[in-house]
Amino acid sequence: MELINRTIQSRIEEYFVPGKVIVLVGPRRVGKTVLVRQIISSITEPVLFLNGEDINTRELLARRSVPHYLQLLDGRKILIIDEAQKIPDVGAALKLMIDEIAGLRVLITGSSAFDVENRTGEPLTGRKYTFRLYPLSDAEYDQKYSLPERKDKMKERLIYGCYPELLTMSNSGMKAAYLNDLVSSYLLKDILVFENIKKSDKILSLLRLIAFQTGSEISTTEIGRQLGMSENTVSQYLDLLSKVFIIHRVGGFSRNLRKEISKSSKWYFFDNGIRNILVANLNPVELRNDVGQLWENYIISERIKFQQYSGMIVNNFFWRTYDQQEIDWVEERGGQLHAFEFKWSENKHPRAPLGWSKTYPDASYSVVNPDNYQPWTR
């Protein structure tokens, strides 16, 4: 497969400086190892590359002494560790190296936020920069397709999502099998192993309920009742699923006005393909009755990729009042509010709700549809 240049690579290289550890996290199979190898290929200096899943790597780093690490590096000033969360006390080992070996640059990868933070968290406080890698972005796909092809390919991504390996698959059956295996064999692995959770069926049932309610407000109490779980357990599972980058939470925006709803949450998937395989529906866009949900989930995931890759400082919300006025997406950044409504139909251009306009007259308001979304995601 022809390699696609990842947008985040230039930012990682900018922050890849002596005395700091670059932590690259993201779900399994999004191309972290491929990206790391692309970074290595652009480096002219010698590099020590270690795989955290190799028991020899764990043994090499377990002997925590500066002379040992200097011997291991053998004069090299760049250390890269893939799947670093597999190494016990890796944070303490890296702290010792960074503090005692002048000029050392370190990059590590991990497949989930809680794995890496637990392994590297406190020892590396003030010594690391964390970056997230997601499935391929809309802008990254544009490297591969001509302008006339792009809209049809975007419709495919609404169904199958954006995992890189899908580019190597020529038919829908292969893509469906890949997504099914991705959910069952890879994405839940971190939760089931790391947290020692035995009931994977409960996790999958929870994900399916979230999938059917994508873009709607979620009641943890109601979900718990449906699944026979406590509200606290539901909240714990949702938190874990967000830490392995399967779903993410969006809270309600409010400036403490009595009519605004602020305590509810919506949950979205980082990838449409994962959402669709969970509801067992990979029909094309033209045959869907949930295309509005697909578009909303897709465009939000693309916006989050852009926010992360560009280093944008922003708070994301939805907005709704008790009398059912609502806005899909609100960004709070630079002291300003920016509101966005998502419409699959390019002919729909609704005005901002009256309650929003009156309460926040200085806020901007835009409608994002398939015809105008690209400047918003790159």
Side-chain angles (χ1 to χ4, degrees):
M1 181 181 73
E2 181 183 347
L3 287 178
I4 290 178
N5 295 321
R6 304 306 296 264
T7 305
I8 201 173
Q9 181 173 341
S10 60
R11 289 197 72 232
I12 290 175
E13 291 172 340
E14 178 185 354
Y15 283 79
F16 195 21
V17 295
K20 296 291 184 180
V21 176
I22 296 291
V23 181
L24 178 63
V25 294
R28 294 176 181 272
R29 317 305 296 179
V30 295
K32 296 187 297 295
T33 302
V34 173
L35 174 57
V36 165
R37 294 194 181 280
Q38 286 180 265
I39 291 172
I40 291 173
S41 70
S42 68
I43 296 173
T44 56
E45 303 172 50
V47 174
L48 175 60
F49 180 87
L50 300 173
N51 187 337
E53 294 187 309
D54 188 330
I55 192 170
N56 293 319
T57 296
R58 299 173 211 171
E59 292 174 353
L60 282 171
L61 297 183
R63 184 181 168 192
R64 206 175 304 160
S65 75
V66 174
H68 171 65
Y69 291 148
L70 285 169
Q71 184 180 26
L72 176 64
L73 288 163
D74 192 26
R76 288 166 288 201
K77 293 295 184 178
I78 299 177
L79 171 64
I80 295 178
I81 307 175
D82 202 17
E83 299 293 343
Q85 80 278 359
K86 301 291 185 181
I87 302 170
D89 299 319
V90 67
L94 293 175
K95 177 183 180 298
L96 181 61
M97 291 187 210
I98 286 292
D99 288 351
E100 300 298 330
I101 301 175
L104 182 64
R105 292 188 281 166
V106 178
L107 188 158
I108 66 174
T109 76
S111 57
S112 67
F114 60 72
D115 266 357
V116 177
E117 288 305 316
N118 274 306
R119 304 295 187 194
T120 67
E122 189 175 337
L124 291 181
T125 300
R127 299 173 177 85
K128 64 182 172 72
Y129 297 113
T130 301
F131 295 90
R132 293 185 175 187
L133 186 67
Y134 299 98
L136 292 172
S137 71
D138 194 90
E140 288 166 342
Y141 269 105
D142 281 357
Q143 300 171 35
K144 185 172 178 62
Y145 299 113
S146 65
L147 191 60
E149 294 178 295
R150 289 175 186 172
K151 189 165 186 178
D152 285 339
K153 294 299 181 182
M154 181 269 287
K155 289 182 179 180
E156 285 185 19
R157 295 195 292 277
L158 289 183
I159 306 304
Y160 295 106
C162 303
Y163 275 81
E165 287 174 83
L166 291 168
L167 285 170
T168 67
M169 299 170 193
S170 57
N171 63 68
S172 58
M174 293 172 66
K175 293 177 181 179
Y178 174 79
L179 291 171
N180 194 57
D181 187 58
L182 190 62
V183 170
S184 59
S185 300
Y186 289 102
L187 296 187
L188 299 182
K189 183 178 179 181
D190 295 305
I191 293 178
L192 300 178
V193 173
F194 189 82
E195 291 295 309
N196 198 28
I197 293 173
K198 304 297 184 184
K199 297 181 179 179
S200 60
D201 58 320
K202 290 288 188 182
I203 293 280
L204 286 171
S205 296
L206 172 59
L207 277 173
R208 289 187 182 106
L209 284 177
I210 298 297
F212 280 113
Q213 298 179 59
T214 301
S216 299
E217 290 165 58
I218 298 296
S219 166
T220 51
T221 303
E222 176 61 22
I223 286 178
R225 187 189 63 78
Q226 292 183 55
L227 296 178
M229 297 161 54
S230 70
E231 184 176 356
N232 285 341
T233 300
V234 172
S235 296
Q236 177 198 7
Y237 284 4
L238 288 172
D239 181 57
L240 292 174
L241 287 165
S242 68
K243 286 178 176 176
V244 294
F245 311 109
I246 298 176
I247 57 176
H248 61 96
R249 175 186 173 274
V250 179
F253 177 80
S254 174
R255 292 277 169 86
N256 295 317
L257 300 177
R258 277 189 280 177
K259 291 184 177 180
E260 293 177 319
I261 294 173
S262 61
K263 294 183 179 179
S264 296
S265 298
K266 294 183 179 183
W267 290 86
Y268 294 91
F269 284 79
F270 279 113
D271 187 76
N272 273 39
I274 302 303
R275 186 262 177 190
N276 288 330
I277 201 68
L278 285 164
V279 300
N281 188 353
L282 295 173
N283 288 332
V285 167
E286 292 76 14
L287 301 179
R288 305 290 291 243
N289 59 10
D290 60 350
V291 67
Q293 283 179 289
L294 297 182
W295 175 243
E296 184 173 340
N297 193 87
Y298 179 80
I299 201 65
I300 286 174
S301 66
E302 288 301 309
R303 182 62 171 180
I304 287 175
K305 293 171 191 176
F306 171 74
Q307 291 174 348
Q308 290 284 331
Y309 293 169
S310 64
M312 183 185 293
I313 306 300
V314 59
N315 295 318
N316 299 319
F317 306 94
F318 70 92
W319 178 82
R320 188 167 76 82
T321 63
Y322 286 103
D323 60 358
Q324 303 302 311
Q325 296 185 68
E326 59 184 316
I327 292 176
D328 292 331
W329 191 254
V330 175
E331 294 183 355
E332 184 180 45
R333 49 183 162 86
Q336 299 292 320
L337 293 176
H338 306 269
F340 303 92
E341 192 72 13
F342 306 129
K343 295 296 180 184
W344 176 248
S345 172
E346 297 170 5
N347 298 319
K348 291 184 178 180
H349 298 280
R351 294 183 178 182
L354 186 60
W356 175 266
S357 299
K358 285 186 173 181
T359 308
Y360 308 107
D362 295 328
S364 67
Y365 176 81
S366 305
V367 177
V368 181
N369 61 42
D371 186 54
N372 68 4
Y373 78 94
Q374 289 196 341
W376 197 64
T377 59
R378 61 199 66 195

